[in-house]
């Protein structure tokens, strides 16, 4: 079939429509692909997509970082694979031509003592005796015991917290996935206690489970800055040269602590990881490995297991 010479933007729109029908959101990637297509059309290019064309656009603007350029090229590379179906002359840019497109920043793994300090600091927020301090303490505790994404916790509706069955219903999150997250009795009791206090608040009219002092849903930016202040008040800092501790790092902490607990309990971690992946709402198990960090406690417990294996022949 002869290749139809239509504008690159038209191909880009077709590609994004196709991918989104498969369930991909492509919020950032989609924007980059549309920018690339408009650039190609603006310079008057009417031939096939080539590596040189992709590299030239990916390096724009020249004042941005190498990582930014690599991510732009990665977006075009996915689009090129689609274009190759319709035009055999399409060149698919090689992987990592501009270096890696993703750089993992070391998260801050909170110690149990740091989590406790954060909870105490949250309960001390103003207004004393108000809903705000209870909400932030509940949010931090909820993230610590479930590993939810921050936005998942903030979007929980009242109906999503099932006290009778001890479950959280996480709806339509990343990749349009929904899941059930079981709660242990202690966590369920803490959430139920918060719900009773919340419902006595004179302005608690919001539909979400966690509410601010004004009775409405918490905004992410407000939560972000409040947590930064809590970390400063608790003197929680990352090592020199590392990113400041984030609320999202509690999710990383949950994954690491769960692994440590399994090792200490003698659980076959390799067999258990898929369960953790499902619990966290990941599409594939490799996404879960991204959350694991080599912290001293984890090295200590795995090192002890290997020592037993080496010295006693314990192959279990």
């Amino acid at each position: 079939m002869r290749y139809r010479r239509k504008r690159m933007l038209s191909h880009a729109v077709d590609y994004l429509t196709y991918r989104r029908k498969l369930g991909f959101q492509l919020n950032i990637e989609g924007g980059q692909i549309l920018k690339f297509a408009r650039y190609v059309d603006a310079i008057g290019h009417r031939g096939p997509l080539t590596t040189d064309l992709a590299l030239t656009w990916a390096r724009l603007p020249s004042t941005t970082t190498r990582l930014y350029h690599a991510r732009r090229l990665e977006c075009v590379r996915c689009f090129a694979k689609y274009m190759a179906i319709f035009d055999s002359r399409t060149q698919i840019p090689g992987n990592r031509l501009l270096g890696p497109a993703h750089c993992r920043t070391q998260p801050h793994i909170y110690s149990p003592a740091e989590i406790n300090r954060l909870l105490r600091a949250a309960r001390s927020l103003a207004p004393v005796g108000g809903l705000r301090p209870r909400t932030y303490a509940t949010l931090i505790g909820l993230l610590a015991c479930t590993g939810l994404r921050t936005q998942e916790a903030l979007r929980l509706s009242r109906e999503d917290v099932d006290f009778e069955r001890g479950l959280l219903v996480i709806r339509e999150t990343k990749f349009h996935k929904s899941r059930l997250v079981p709660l242990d009795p202690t966590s369920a009791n803490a959430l139920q206690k918060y719900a009773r206090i919340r419902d006595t608040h004179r302005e608690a009219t919001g539909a979400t489970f966690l509410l601010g002092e004004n009775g409405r849903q918490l905004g992410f930016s407000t939560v972000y800055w409040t947590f930064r202040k809590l970390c400063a008040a608790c003197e929680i800092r990352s090592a020199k040269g590392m990113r400041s501790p984030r609320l999202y790092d509690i999710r990383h902490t949950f994954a690491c602590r769960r692994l440590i607990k399994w090792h200490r309990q003698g659980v076959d971690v390799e067999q258990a990881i898929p369960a953790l992946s499902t619990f966290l709402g990941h599409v594939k198990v490799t996404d879960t490995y991204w959350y694991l960090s080599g912290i001293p406690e984890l090295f200590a417990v795995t090192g002890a297991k290997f020592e037993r294996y080496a010295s006693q022949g314990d192959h279990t």
Side-chain angles (χ1 to χ4, degrees), residues 218-243:
L218 293 169
F220 180 79
S221 59
T222 301
V223 171
Y224 171 84
W225 288 110
T226 301
F227 187 76
R228 290 287 298 271
K229 292 178 181 178
L230 290 175
C231 283
C234 295
E235 298 184 344
I236 298 175
R237 304 181 182 89
S238 295
K240 186 176 180 181
M242 290 176 56
R243 180 173 53 193

Side-chain angles (χ1 to χ4, degrees), residues 191-207:
L191 293 179
Q192 195 163 28
K193 181 179 179 181
Y194 167 78
R196 286 195 296 267
I197 295 172
R198 177 205 62 202
D199 291 342
T200 62
H201 189 69
R202 62 184 182 279
E203 296 183 26
T205 58

Side-chain angles (χ1 to χ4, degrees), residues 95-235:
N95 192 23
R96 299 169 70 98
L97 280 180
L98 296 179
H102 301 276
C103 179
R104 184 182 187 273
T105 302
Q106 181 67 26
H108 181 88
I109 305 301
Y110 296 93
S111 68
E114 286 176 329
I115 293 294
N116 286 332
R117 295 211 308 270
L118 285 169
L119 290 171
R120 287 196 297 270
R123 295 187 189 104
S124 300
L125 287 170
V128 177
L131 183 60
R132 180 172 177 256
R134 293 185 171 96
T135 295
Y136 276 95
T138 301
L139 172 62
I140 293 170
L142 177 62
L143 296 179
C145 69
T146 62
L148 293 181
R149 300 178 178 96
T150 306
Q151 289 285 21
E152 290 175 345
L154 297 181
R155 286 199 301 262
L156 279 173
S157 72
R158 294 166 183 254
E159 292 74 24
D160 291 337
V161 184
D162 187 337
F163 295 116
E164 186 174 336
R165 295 189 295 166
L167 290 173
L168 298 178
V169 183
I170 312 299
R171 305 179 190 273
E172 289 291 315
T173 59
K174 199 171 184 181
F175 305 113
H176 299 288
K177 289 172 65 68
S178 297
R179 69 188 190 279
L180 298 177
V181 174
L183 296 167
D184 66 66
T186 302
S187 301
N189 289 338
L191 293 179
Q192 195 163 28
K193 181 179 179 181
Y194 167 78
R196 286 195 296 267
I197 295 172
R198 177 205 62 202
D199 291 342
T200 62
H201 189 69
R202 62 184 182 279
E203 296 183 26
T205 58
T208 53
F209 182 76
L210 296 168
L211 300 176
E213 191 64 32
N214 60 3
R216 301 174 186 171
Q217 180 178 359
L218 293 169
F220 180 79
S221 59
T222 301
V223 171
Y224 171 84
W225 288 110
T226 301
F227 187 76
R228 290 287 298 271
K229 292 178 181 178
L230 290 175
C231 283
C234 295
E235 298 184 344

Side-chain angles (χ1 to χ4, degrees), residues 16 45 63 74 90 97-98 102 136 150 163 181 208 210-211 235 250 254 263 278 286 290 311:
L16 294 176
H45 182 83
T63 54
E74 182 182 58
T90 299
L97 280 180
L98 296 179
H102 301 276
Y136 276 95
T150 306
F163 295 116
V181 174
T208 53
L210 296 168
L211 300 176
E235 298 184 344
I250 297 179
F254 173 84
H263 277 299
T278 301
T286 51
W290 182 267
S311 62

Side-chain angles (χ1 to χ4, degrees), residues 69-83:
H69 295 163
R71 287 179 178 173
R72 279 161 65 93
L73 184 62
E74 182 182 58
C75 294
V76 178
R77 189 169 184 270
C78 294
F79 177 48
K81 293 178 180 179
Y82 168 85
M83 290 295 295

